[in-house]
Amino acid sequence: MADSHAPRRWKGVPSALASELGTADLILHAGDVCVPQVLDELAEYAPVRVVMGNNDGEAVRDWGAPDELEFLAEGVRIAMIHIAGPRQGRGRRMRRRFPDADVVVFGHSHIPWDGVEDGIHLLNPGSVADPRREPSPTFAVLTVDAGNWSTQIVRFPRAGTR
């Protein structure tokens, strides 16, 4: 997940996301949580890893959010950062910043993105609460198993629509 923007946009875990979180082993949030209560709510489903976003304050940092993060999950090297910069050259920049990463999860743009650039897999889940110019809210599913991974962007209707 990324870009929750609580409490202005985030009003709680959307039902479409809750069903996915119910099976999650780990929840990743790529910043702009804005208030740590979102992280507390997510942590009721599974452990949460989060990075600081440009709208996050010290309360989110105190919850445990570093500026960037790298970790190993079942043999897959995952890196997280909120702002990955302009689309042009993003893969090259992320490869320099995280040379050992298999997947870089990022946010900030509210635009979902799932693809390989310059030999690195980039994943922006978009926003479940503030999709801006996107037709609907989104999140991403990153499935990791014994050194292999797959990704999927999930779209669901805006609140109050079908």
Side-chain angles (χ1 to χ4, degrees), residues 14-16 128 131 135-138 154-162:
S15 59
V128 296
S136 62
T138 59
V154 179
R155 291 187 178 276
F156 60 96
R158 290 179 187 261
T161 64
R162 291 180 177 237

Side-chain angles (χ1 to χ4, degrees), residues 40-88:
D40 293 336
E41 187 177 4
L42 294 173
E44 292 176 15
Y45 292 91
V48 177
R49 302 252 177 129
V50 60
V51 293
M52 290 291 288
N54 59 302
N55 288 295
D56 292 330
E58 288 306 308
V60 173
R61 187 176 302 283
D62 292 345
W63 197 92
D67 292 325
E68 57 187 51
L69 182 62
E70 293 183 76
F71 61 96
L72 190 64
E74 295 198 29
V76 176
R77 295 173 307 265
I78 300 170
M80 292 175 59
I81 191 167
H82 183 62
I83 301 175
R87 184 170 179 182
Q88 177 118 6

